[in-house]
Amino acid sequence: MSGGLDRRDLLAGLAGGAGLLAAAAPAAAAAQGQGQGALPDGAADRAYALELLRRMAEPVLGRMARGRLQAEWQPELSPTWDGRDRRVAYLEAFGRLVDGLAPWLALPDDTSAEGRLRARLREQAVQSYVHAVDPKSPDYLLWRGPGQALVDSAYFTSALLRAPDALWTPLDAATKARIVTEIKGLRHVSPPYQNWILFAAMNEAFLFSIGEQWDPMRVDLAIRKFLEWYVGDGWYGDGADFHYDYYNSYVIHPMLVQILAVLAAGKPDFNSLKPAEEHARALKRMQRYAEHLERMVGPDGAYAAIGRSLTYRTAVHQPLGFLAWHRQLPDTLPAGQVRAVTSATQRRIFADPSNFNADGFLTIGFARAQPTLGDIYSNAGSMYIASEGLLALGLPADDPYWTAAPQPWTMRRAYAGEDFRKDYYVTY
């Protein structure tokens, strides 16, 4: 593998090595202090994010593209592991990782260091999709075992929806047919009556998008239940009850908006559901939720450690990156402000080198290796949902998101004694 050379080229071409996590992160965190010091510019923020992406992607994709992931990696398990087949970790790692990378992989080729890295990782991702569904491959994934496969199949198909030309079109006919077979086969899983119904709906939306036979009822049910479970001011309950955690970030907002966007574009015949109208409403609610996420980040980039699955780290800010990538940030969240706040949280979370183990894989933890924070379902593969915090890399380097001057976020302004925007609930 030529990863070392590409890494040196990348760092030399992008802010002279500013992306090195171990060196840049502590310095940046120290400079920010308690809301003091200059904020990094967009070039430095992008270089940092690209290096973080590379560190997440290479150990997984480099092995899986060769059919060597399961042979060379035994994922860490939570101390409270519930005993399910540990091979679920490989579908979790690949599905979640590639979903976060997909917008960036979809950017056009160029000859820059970043472009060469993207071309290599894109090719590895495509080859990994081939191994994922080939029963003869050592890296054939655990599609036909525990119900957990339904969860991560949705990230697997979401990536294909986010980057169809980069990830779906290049696949050979046999691989495409195998993917369809595995996804349809997961209909036997009866999802718990909460965010899991969106995983089933995402798979059906993918099948619809490629002209395959799909089940409108699974999609209709998921959308209607989340309309019922909306609790107000941009937040959904996760089922009939409200859970104060970040599953609105990890699953609910991004998947609901993405599913509705597919339906609005494809215009299927529903009994009474109006996908375009529901998409517009879901998007407004997501924008409102994004305002809350931005306000929950302190002056130094730390954010509230609440609820289950905290080890998903910066996946918490998936809605901010999703909206930025689609150029749908609300007027209350300027691009330079969103980039500054999400970059600050990345630097704060990943400052400690133990977020990655000696072989380069993510560890179970929040701001370092902290295995006791794992839940009964947590394994090192689960951690790759953190890549969802990198969706804004799907915007090219010359996009205003990356070129805008950095702006202090709400809590940074507030604790510096500056004026800041007041906040009021919404009724939509």
Side-chain angles (χ1 to χ4, degrees), residues 168 180 184 204-214:
W168 176 252
V180 170
K184 288 182 177 179
E204 299 301 328
F206 163 70
L207 292 171
F208 168 70
S209 77
I210 60 171
E212 279 287 333
Q213 181 272 333
W214 66 299

Side-chain angles (χ1 to χ4, degrees), residues 73-81 86-90 92-93 311 313 354-359 361-366 368-384:
W73 180 40
Q74 294 300 309
E76 174 190 14
L77 302 178
S78 165
T80 57
W81 184 248
R86 65 188 300 154
R87 290 176 295 168
V88 299
Y90 300 107
E92 291 186 54
T311 58
R313 296 179 171 96
S354 71
N355 282 288
F356 295 88
N357 70 12
D359 293 320
F361 292 97
L362 281 169
T363 57
I364 297 174
F366 179 64
R368 60 176 176 84
Q370 297 164 294
T372 57
L373 290 181
D375 298 290
I376 61 171
Y377 47 81
S378 301
N379 63 75
S382 315
M383 306 303 106
Y384 284 87

Side-chain angles (χ1 to χ4, degrees), residues 293-304:
L293 288 177
E294 187 271 349
R295 282 179 175 262
M296 292 169 72
V297 179
D300 61 348
Y303 62 89

Side-chain angles (χ1 to χ4, degrees), residues 8-36:
R8 289 192 294 272
D9 288 348
L10 177 65
L11 296 176
L14 294 168
L20 276 171
L21 301 187
Q32 288 182 36
Q34 295 299 315
Q36 303 300 316

Side-chain angles (χ1 to χ4, degrees), residues 57-141:
E58 283 187 341
V60 176
L61 297 184
R63 288 172 173 83
M64 192 167 175
R66 296 180 287 113
R68 297 294 299 166
L69 182 64
Q70 296 184 44
E72 297 180 8
W73 180 40
Q74 294 300 309
E76 174 190 14
L77 302 178
S78 165
T80 57
W81 184 248
D82 62 8
R84 71 186 72 181
D85 191 326
R86 65 188 300 154
R87 290 176 295 168
V88 299
Y90 300 107
L91 177 53
E92 291 186 54
F94 175 66
R96 297 175 186 210
L97 171 69
V98 75
D99 195 39
L101 269 57
W104 179 73
L105 293 176
L107 288 175
D109 288 327
D110 60 59
T111 59
S112 67
E114 177 184 340
R116 293 194 298 274
L117 175 68
R118 179 165 50 250
R120 176 164 58 85
L121 292 180
R122 183 194 300 127
E123 181 179 357
Q124 290 177 350
V126 170
Q127 289 304 311
S128 296
Y129 268 107
V130 174
H131 285 289
V133 292
D134 181 358
K136 295 181 180 179
S137 171
D139 277 342
Y140 176 63
L141 298 176

Side-chain angles (χ1 to χ4, degrees), residues 109-407:
D109 288 327
D110 60 59
T111 59
S112 67
E114 177 184 340
R116 293 194 298 274
L117 175 68
R118 179 165 50 250
R120 176 164 58 85
L121 292 180
R122 183 194 300 127
E123 181 179 357
Q124 290 177 350
V126 170
Q127 289 304 311
S128 296
Y129 268 107
V130 174
H131 285 289
V133 292
D134 181 358
K136 295 181 180 179
S137 171
D139 277 342
Y140 176 63
L141 298 176
L142 190 63
W143 295 103
R144 304 182 186 189
Q148 178 67 31
L150 176 64
V151 175
D152 297 292
S153 67
Y155 293 101
F156 183 101
T157 56
S158 171
L160 296 172
L161 284 168
R162 287 176 173 180
D165 293 337
L167 297 176
W168 176 252
T169 301
L171 295 174
D172 60 89
T175 297
K176 289 179 177 178
R178 286 169 176 162
I179 289 174
V180 170
T181 297
E182 299 294 3
I183 296 305
K184 288 182 177 179
L186 288 168
R187 289 172 177 165
H188 80 275
V189 178
S190 178
Y193 218 47
Q194 28 95 320
N195 69 81
W196 278 50
I197 64 175
L198 285 171
F199 303 136
M202 179 65 75
N203 284 343
E204 299 301 328
F206 163 70
L207 292 171
F208 168 70
S209 77
I210 60 171
E212 279 287 333
Q213 181 272 333
W214 66 299
D215 184 354
M217 183 177 290
R218 293 173 189 266
V219 181
D220 192 42
L221 172 68
I223 294 169
R224 292 185 189 279
K225 292 313 296 183
F226 274 96
L227 290 175
E228 293 176 16
W229 293 337
Y230 182 66
V231 295
D233 208 19
W235 291 74
Y236 292 92
D238 192 0
D241 298 322
F242 175 73
H243 300 164
Y244 192 32
D245 56 31
Y246 290 120
Y247 272 77
N248 271 261
S249 291
Y250 305 147
V251 180
I252 298 170
H253 277 291
M255 288 206 174
L256 186 57
V257 168
Q258 186 164 311
I259 290 164
L260 284 165
V262 170
L263 298 180
K267 299 179 180 178
D269 185 22
F270 275 102
N271 182 28
S272 60
L273 184 72
K274 298 178 179 178
E277 292 181 14
E278 293 303 339
H279 175 260
R281 177 160 58 170
L283 179 61
K284 286 179 63 177
R285 291 173 173 178
M286 187 185 198
Q287 290 169 330
R288 173 57 180 158
Y289 176 73
E291 291 179 332
H292 286 143
L293 288 177
E294 187 271 349
R295 282 179 175 262
M296 292 169 72
V297 179
D300 61 348
Y303 62 89
I306 55 173
R308 60 200 164 122
S309 300
L310 275 177
T311 58
Y312 292 171
R313 296 179 171 96
T314 49
V316 65
H317 291 137
Q318 180 181 187
L320 287 163
F322 184 99
L323 291 168
W325 169 43
H326 286 285
R327 297 185 175 91
Q328 293 173 329
L329 288 168
D331 293 341
T332 54
L333 294 176
Q337 183 171 324
V338 171
R339 191 194 71 237
V341 71
T342 53
S343 297
T345 61
Q346 289 168 1
R347 288 181 169 94
R348 184 65 187 264
I349 289 294
F350 287 100
D352 193 303
S354 71
N355 282 288
F356 295 88
N357 70 12
D359 293 320
F361 292 97
L362 281 169
T363 57
I364 297 174
F366 179 64
R368 60 176 176 84
Q370 297 164 294
T372 57
L373 290 181
D375 298 290
I376 61 171
Y377 47 81
S378 301
N379 63 75
S382 315
M383 306 303 106
Y384 284 87
I385 197 173
S387 70
E388 299 284 12
L390 301 173
L391 294 183
L393 283 172
L395 296 168
D398 60 357
D399 188 88
Y401 180 86
W402 296 108
T403 60
Q407 296 185 39

